[in-house]
Every structure is written in structure tokens, then in C-alpha cells.
Amino acid sequence: MAPRIVLITGCSSGIGLWAAVVMAKQPDFKVYATMRNTGKKGDLEKAAGGCLDKTLFIRKLDVKDDKTFKPVLDEIINSNGKLDVLINNAGLGMLTISEAAPVEGVRHIFDTNVIGLFQLTQAIIPIMKKQKAGHIVNVTSVGGIAGVPYNTMYCASKFAVEGMTESLAVELMDDNIRFSLIEPGPVNTSFRENIQEASGTGLDNPDIDEDTKKKFVTLVNSISDSFAKVAQTGEDIAKVILKAVTDEKPCLRYQTSEYGAMRAKQALVDSTGNNFLDMFRAEIKN
Ligand code: NAD
């Protein structure tokens, strides 16, 4: 049987790296593992081992630069005649006192997490429509269904992808293009190291008052402590992604842990949003 052809974004580290390796090790997948800077392919090459250039191919693709899409898509179609699965994984965080967030940083987050993801999806929809088959998997976050203080515009970007995905799932249902959301809670990856790419925290901003800075430090530390207790690995999330793409009838949403499922239920069932506010009210008092 011809292998299923998969394109994944953001594979130089973390969830993307693991998803590429876990899938390339399956007997029936051929993975195009893409990254914005192929100078950072060392970790993936090492993790891929014997799969490299057999079932795992590393290519350049920057979701913020649509000129990088065509060479990869042309190669995939010329070599395989099809593209079965797109995994939109690339993404950036932003941890900052909201009134200090620079607008360029906010644009960088949205250009990467929302507009770049959407543009790549737009480029792939005609291929999948022609095939009358395809599966698009978008990695969002628990922060895409429930806000996290000081992760304001990151959460906003993930909420955007949740809405986009639900809409597209219905729009392209008849074309046999499936959509799934992967909603991890905290994951131990380079995400936290990369979190300052779009902006600083605002703690060095002289215009922000000391009470606000103190509250930021207290709440961020307390959230980090709670997150550390439930953090998963990139490999854990990769296994959920593999489940999503091999399920006969893929779900629209996959939480990756009991914690994630509990937060999702809370957010989706409590239509007033009051339970969500009460949870953080208690956290601030502690
Ligand atoms: P990570 O920082 O290890 O991986 C993110 C990858 O995206 C990096 O390799 C980065 O280079 C890449 N990237 C950034 N901008 C890009 C661009 N313009 N083009 C292509 N690639 C780009 O972190 P991760 O945890 O593996 O994150 C993967 C996804 O999981 C992200 O969408 C993130 O929002 C989501 N997520 C992470 C966590 C977490 O706690 N780590 C939780 C929930 C969701």
C-alpha cells in the first residue's frame, strides 16, 4: 500500500520533532518534517536515526513566508502524487504584562500562529479537494479554550485557530477533508525558552507600576508550579497526534491529558464563565 504522506511544520524542536519521528517510524507513513531554519535540523536528524531520507525528509518551510511553501508542496506532489495529512504545529508563545505588550510582538504571534497557519492551509486545501480526501490537524492548546493570565495574545491566537478549525471542518466536510484540534496542556519543550521571541515580560518597563509587576511575578510563579505538576513530554503529544491521524473517524478535538480534558469540559460546559473566574480568584488569593 502506498504510504500516507504527511507534512508537519515547526519540526526543529518539541512536539513537531517528536511527531515527525513517531510517525516516520510507523510502517505506513512518509513524513516531510519542515522548519523555518534548516540550520537547526541537528536534533531532528539525530532523533530520526535510520528513518532519515527514507521515511523522514527535512525541508525548509517558514509559515510566515508563503514563498517557502511552493517548493515543498511541488516536491511532495511530484514525488508522491498526493498529500494526505497536514499537521500545523509551528507556534510561538508570549508571556507579558498585557498593557506592556508591543504591537509588533502581537503581530509576530498572530502572523505565525494564525495567519501563517491559515495561509499554508489555504495552499493545501485545493490539493486535498482534488484528491477528495485529506486530514488537517491543528495544534492549539488548553489556552485555546480557556484563557491564561499574561498569555493574553497567545491565547487569543489559539482561540482564533479553534474558531477557524471549527468553521473549516464544516465548510470542507463534503470534500472529505477532516479537521482535528490537538489541545495540549503544559508540555516540557523549548516553548518556554522561545517565549520571549515576540516580546519581553514588561517587568523592565518603567511605565508599569510596581503592584502590577508584583502580581505578574506571583501569579506566573504559581501557574508555573501548577503546570509543572501536570506537564507532558513532546513524545506524549506526538502519540496523541498519531492517534488522531490513524483514527478511522477522527474527532474534532483531542485533549492530551486528564488535566486538559478537565479544563476543556469546564470551559465548554460552564456557559457563564463564572467557574473559570472563580478558579483564578482562588489562585490570586493564595
Ligand atoms: P517549541 O518551541 O519546541 O516548538 C515550536 C516550533 O515552532 C519551534 O521549532 C519553532 O522554531 C517553530 N516556529 C516558530 N515560528 C515558525 C515559523 N514562522 N515557521 C515555522 N516554524 C516556526 O514548542 P512546542 O511546545 O513544541 O510547540 C509546538 C506547538 O504546540 C505550538 O503551536 C504551541 O503553541 C503548542 N503548545 C505548546 C505547549 C507547551 O506547553 N509547550 C502547550 C500547548 C500547546
Side-chain angles (χ1 to χ4, degrees):
M1 207 174 73
R4 293 180 73 196
I5 310 302
V6 183
L7 169 60
I8 312 179
T9 62
C11 294
S12 59
S13 58
I15 296 169
L17 182 152
W18 277 106
V21 171
V22 165
M23 292 175 89
K25 287 188 175 162
Q26 301 297 310
D28 47 357
F29 283 102
K30 186 168 165 186
V31 177
Y32 288 82
T34 66
M35 55 187 71
R36 60 183 157 164
N37 175 4
T38 47
K40 293 194 173 164
K41 66 182 175 181
D43 288 348
L44 177 57
E45 278 183 334
K46 214 184 279 168
C51 294
L52 192 65
D53 295 329
K54 291 192 178 72
T55 55
L56 189 154
F57 301 86
I58 300 175
R59 297 291 182 262
K60 179 184 168 64
L61 191 152
D62 181 341
V63 298
K64 274 183 73 178
D65 178 4
D66 61 355
K67 288 192 294 300
T68 65
F69 300 174
K70 192 171 159 30
V72 184
L73 294 181
D74 284 353
E75 181 190 342
I76 291 176
I77 297 306
N78 291 337
S79 309
N80 308 285
K82 62 173 189 157
L83 171 55
D84 298 297
V85 180
L86 165 65
I87 300 172
N88 280 313
N89 162 75
L92 287 174
M94 189 181 194
L95 177 74
T96 184
I97 295 167
S98 293
E99 62 261 46
V103 75
E104 319 81 64
V106 173
R107 288 211 173 93
H108 184 42
I109 292 291
F110 269 75
D111 282 344
T112 306
N113 295 4
V114 183
I115 298 172
L117 178 152
F118 183 60
Q119 277 195 294
L120 181 60
T121 304
Q122 278 185 311
I124 286 170
I125 286 171
I127 297 172
M128 292 185 169
K129 262 189 163 175
K130 218 164 135 193
Q131 298 168 177
K132 279 266 170 215
H135 191 177
I136 298 181
V137 176
N138 292 334
V139 180
T140 59
S141 170
V142 167
I145 30 180
V148 185
Y150 307 114
N151 290 261
T152 307
M153 298 316 283
Y154 171 69
C155 289
S157 74
K158 294 297 187 180
F159 267 69
V161 177
E162 291 267 332
M164 179 201 304
T165 308
E166 283 191 359
S167 307
L168 282 167
V170 179
E171 197 175 318
L172 294 166
M173 211 176 244
D174 275 359
D175 296 285
N176 197 28
I177 303 176
R178 305 284 170 243
F179 282 83
S180 296
L181 289 154
I182 308 292
E183 300 169 332
V187 192
N188 284 326
T189 60
S190 334
F191 188 72
R192 286 192 70 81
E193 287 155 39
N194 297 336
I195 215 157
Q196 299 306 332
E197 182 174 317
S199 96
T201 57
L203 286 174
D204 56 359
N205 185 329
D207 296 333
I208 304 296
D209 64 274
E210 289 310 311
D211 277 354
T212 299
K213 289 179 182 173
K214 215 170 119 195
K215 198 167 80 182
F216 171 87
V217 172
T218 309
L219 201 48
V220 168
N221 284 341
S222 143
I223 292 170
S224 300
D225 288 348
S226 323
F227 277 8
K229 290 183 193 131
V230 292
Q232 295 181 281
T233 64
E235 189 178 11
D236 292 335
I237 313 305
K239 286 180 184 162
V240 179
I241 295 175
L242 179 65
K243 176 171 168 34
V245 303
T246 50
D247 271 351
E248 205 176 316
K249 278 193 185 160
C251 301
L252 177 59
R253 289 198 157 80
Y254 290 84
Q255 291 87 38
T256 64
S257 62
E258 271 177 36
Y259 166 82
M262 181 269 291
R263 293 294 309 275
K265 245 180 238 160
Q266 233 175 25
L268 298 171
V269 169
D270 169 26
S271 62
T272 66
N274 287 340
N275 293 345
F276 164 77
L277 292 179
D278 287 345
M279 186 183 78
F280 279 110
R281 214 166 260 135
E283 186 103 27
I284 288 165
K285 274 194 191 134
N286 283 337

